Amino acid sequence: MKKKIAIIGAGISGLSLAYYLKKAAVDFTLFEQSSHIGGVIKSHKNKGFIYESGPNTGTLSNIETVELFEDLSKDFQLVLADEAAKKRLILRDNHWHALPSGPISGIKTPLFSLRDKLKLLTEPFIKKGDNPMESIADMVKRRMGESFLDYAIDPFISGIYAGDPNTLVTKYALPKLYQLEQNYGSFIGGAIKKSKEPKSEREKKVSKKIFSAQNGLSDIVNALVTNIGIEHIKLNSTIKVKRNPNGEYHLGETNYTHIISTVNAKELPAIFPFLKSTQLAKIENLNYAKVAEIALGFDKWEGMDINAFGGLIPSKENKHILGILFMSSLFKGRAPKNGALISCFVGGTKNKDLVDIGKDELMEIVKPELELLLGIKQFNPSITEVFYHNNAIAQYESSTEDRLLNISTLEKEYPNIYMAGSIRDGVGMADRIKQAKDIAETIIEV
Ligand SMILES: Cc1cc2nc3c(=O)[nH]c(=O)nc-3n(C[C@H](O)[C@H](O)[C@H](O)COP(=O)(O)OP(=O)(O)OC[C@H]3O[C@@H](n4cnc5c(N)ncnc54)[C@H](O)[C@@H]3O)c2cc1C
């Protein structure tokens, strides 16, 4: 039977999948409930600033992302972050300290205790953990010590998940770190051994480089749409999949051989009314971090030196702000000359109430912290925009094992339905692109 695919959701997941199917000449339609293409990705241009209301940057952390951007290179200009991106600041006692980048700075840094610095020397000899459901916090305390948890991992987890290392499970939330311990018995030893392993030409293209696009991440969305063809994208669509007794899927009057969902877990019952609530309960219960993102554009920057990636604030420091990105230091053209564009995040799983308050009240809370932390004497941004995300980042907590099991059971029971998006396989844009490529390959091959 000729394949006909319905993709649900026009974020980077759905768009990348549509791109790969189009390339393989497979028939598909991409359905989106809103009038916006790109999902959470949205770039804005105003008063000489370019800023984002969703993700700000991504990492070239897998070959699928690198190769997708190579393929799209005639349609958008990829930009890589300035060298400044290597400097990442962590707050301790109201002072910023650069996250150590090598052994000397690691010894000198006041971020970690002497006891834990000494403990780190013994890390390669600490026995391998045997609890696959161990939280990130427990794993880090066991192998590295409490101060590394408080002043490296906790802020790092805020930066990626806006989450809590006590509830996130390492195996699912930081699978590469988990595998280092499982495969090599040590983070340090494993990282050294891995760096020495021979790499193919393709593998060498993968890096920690930080990307965006010339006019913001929406350029990537536009490049994908150019290649997919706008006629294949149906906006403002309310989706309800029907299933015939003979196993065919219908959307409206049209039959589809495959249905791929890339949406948030909470949307699944409305899209798949024929799935039992007991089957969906353990998928739908996925917890999401709420986040408010504040874009601030200053025509003339008179605060501290912000030539760095940004600053992350450990929970121990008891601030409202989770982290700040110095976007105009990373990419050219984000702010007028001598100006600055910063992106500031509040909320997360630990401070979710902050995401429920209005812009003026939120700014009353955030402004004094920004003045203190960034040395701003006159807080007079010409851009102050607050973007609220109620289901921002999926939290891979202890429910993940059951969720993955249920997804796999459903996919077996209902062949050619795929439950994708950030409900599994990682929360970053690069993870979404990799997942889309994997699914496309499965569909194309079968
Ligand atoms: C504030 C924020 C900051 C982030 N920062 C970063 C970062 O710095 N780096 C990074 O790599 N990642 C970051 N992420 C994560 C990254 O943006 C996401 O992983 C990725 O963009 C998600 O893409 P997606 O297509 O899976 O989902 P989405 O972008 O959420 O797209 C899903 C789409 O499905 C649509 N939809 C929902 N329900 C239905 C329905 N019933 N029918 C039809 N369509 C429906 C939605 O309208 C939406 O367009 C951030 C995310 C947020 C929210």
Side-chain angles (χ1 to χ4, degrees):
M1 191 164 53
K2 191 168 174 284
K3 288 170 196 153
K4 192 169 173 64
I5 323 290
I7 306 167
I8 307 172
I12 190 83
S13 297
L15 290 165
S16 312
L17 178 57
Y19 172 82
Y20 293 122
L21 294 179
K22 175 78 188 279
K23 228 176 134 184
V26 175
D27 188 10
F28 69 90
T29 303
L30 174 52
F31 296 93
E32 166 58 45
Q33 94 179 338
S34 74
S35 56
H36 164 71
I37 305 180
V40 292
I41 299 175
K42 196 169 188 180
S43 314
H44 307 254
K45 265 190 182 177
N46 192 5
K47 299 183 184 170
F49 296 92
I50 297 176
Y51 51 96
E52 307 281 352
S53 48
N56 280 266
T57 64
T59 313
L60 294 175
S61 56
N62 59 43
I63 190 63
E64 291 78 6
T65 304
V66 174
E67 289 179 344
L68 176 67
F69 294 167
E70 283 175 357
D71 275 9
L72 295 174
S73 61
K74 65 179 190 331
D75 298 307
F76 86 99
Q77 174 76 55
L78 185 75
V79 291
L80 297 179
D82 193 88
E83 277 292 289
K86 291 198 174 135
K87 190 168 166 194
R88 288 155 192 251
L89 306 177
I90 306 281
L91 194 75
R92 183 160 192 163
D93 302 327
N94 285 337
H95 291 286
W96 296 110
H97 302 278
L99 194 65
S101 53
I104 306 282
S105 52
I107 293 166
K108 286 187 177 164
T109 184
L111 287 171
F112 315 126
S113 68
L114 178 61
R115 197 177 139 195
D116 289 346
K117 287 177 192 171
L118 293 172
K119 180 177 164 85
L120 202 59
L121 298 173
T122 66
E123 192 275 338
F125 312 104
I126 294 173
K127 148 169 154 316
K128 189 157 86 173
D130 56 7
N131 171 12
M133 298 306 285
E134 189 175 32
S135 72
I136 294 173
D138 285 346
M139 189 185 210
V140 172
K141 276 190 279 185
R142 182 167 56 75
R143 299 204 69 86
M144 301 169 84
E146 195 113 18
S147 64
F148 282 97
L149 171 64
D150 293 339
Y151 287 95
I153 302 300
D154 170 279
F156 170 72
I157 289 299
S158 283
I160 301 178
Y161 283 93
D164 182 350
N166 288 292
T167 59
L168 293 166
V169 173
T170 318
K171 182 179 173 187
Y172 301 114
L174 294 179
K176 286 184 184 161
L177 190 69
Y178 178 77
Q179 289 307 334
L180 275 185
E181 188 188 40
Q182 288 306 305
N183 296 341
Y184 302 93
S186 152
F187 300 158
I188 297 174
I192 293 171
K193 277 190 198 138
K194 265 198 99 157
S195 70
K196 289 187 179 154
E197 284 168 5
K199 288 196 176 77
S200 68
E201 285 309 310
R202 271 183 96 215
E203 283 166 340
K204 281 185 197 157
K205 292 180 180 178
V206 174
S207 69
K208 291 190 178 127
K209 286 184 183 151
I210 303 293
F211 69 81
S212 178
Q214 185 89 40
N215 305 291
L217 292 166
S218 285
D219 278 5
I220 301 175
V221 169
N222 296 337
L224 284 165
V225 174
T226 305
N227 285 271
I228 292 163
I230 190 77
E231 66 283 6
H232 292 288
I233 306 177
K234 303 270 175 274
L235 296 176
N236 307 307
S237 299
T238 308
I239 304 298
K240 201 177 207 179
V241 180
K242 289 195 190 121
R243 184 171 182 267
N244 276 350
N246 60 8
E248 280 171 354
Y249 303 114
H250 292 272
L251 267 172
E253 296 306 308
T254 314
N255 284 1
Y256 289 90
T257 55
H258 297 66
I259 311 280
I260 293 103
S261 162
T262 69
V263 307
N264 174 315
K266 319 275 179 223
E267 301 282 339
L268 295 173
I271 294 176
F272 299 105
F274 56 90
L275 297 181
K276 290 185 215 86
S277 53
T278 46
Q279 291 172 304
L280 281 176
K282 287 187 175 166
I283 303 176
E284 236 187 298
N285 66 356
L286 172 58
N287 185 24
Y288 288 85
K290 285 172 148 192
V291 169
E293 178 171 1
I294 307 168
L296 293 165
F298 295 84
D299 289 325
K300 190 159 188 261
W301 180 251
E302 291 176 316
M304 68 176 239
D305 174 11
I306 53 168
N307 199 25
F309 185 83
L312 287 167
I313 304 181
S315 310
K316 280 257 149 131
E317 296 295 299
N318 287 318
K319 298 279 186 264
H320 295 93
I321 297 172
L322 292 173
I324 309 166
L325 292 172
F326 305 146
M327 291 303 291
S328 52
S329 304
L330 298 184
F331 305 111
K332 289 191 181 70
R334 298 292 160 124
K337 195 164 179 269
N338 300 324
L341 175 77
I342 66 174
S343 192
C344 170
F345 293 86
V346 293
T349 55
K350 289 184 184 167
N351 260 320
K352 43 181 178 265
D353 294 349
L354 281 176
V355 186
D356 294 330
I357 59 180
K359 175 180 169 182
D360 292 346
E361 204 185 328
L362 185 62
M363 287 312 296
E364 294 265 304
I365 295 171
V366 167
K367 182 175 163 261
E369 276 187 16
L370 284 169
E371 286 172 337
L372 172 77
L373 300 179
L374 299 182
I376 304 172
K377 291 199 179 62
Q378 281 208 314
F379 192 86
N380 55 358
S382 55
I383 298 276
T384 305
E385 286 215 47
V386 182
F387 304 99
Y388 293 94
H389 297 274
N390 279 326
N391 292 304
I393 314 279
Q395 303 294 302
Y396 295 166
E397 298 173 336
S398 56
S399 59
T400 304
E401 191 170 28
D402 267 352
R403 184 173 65 260
L404 296 182
L405 201 66
N406 271 258
I407 291 174
S408 134
T409 310
L410 277 180
E411 289 181 347
K412 277 193 198 107
E413 195 174 336
Y414 299 96
N416 298 338
I417 283 189
Y418 292 76
M419 302 279 185
S422 64
I423 62 174
R424 59 179 169 94
D425 302 333
V427 298
M429 287 180 286
D431 299 316
R432 309 269 45 78
I433 293 169
K434 175 172 176 16
Q435 184 194 60
K437 178 125 199 241
D438 291 347
I439 294 175
E441 281 174 354
T442 313
I443 293 174
I444 294 160
E445 271 165 25
V446 179

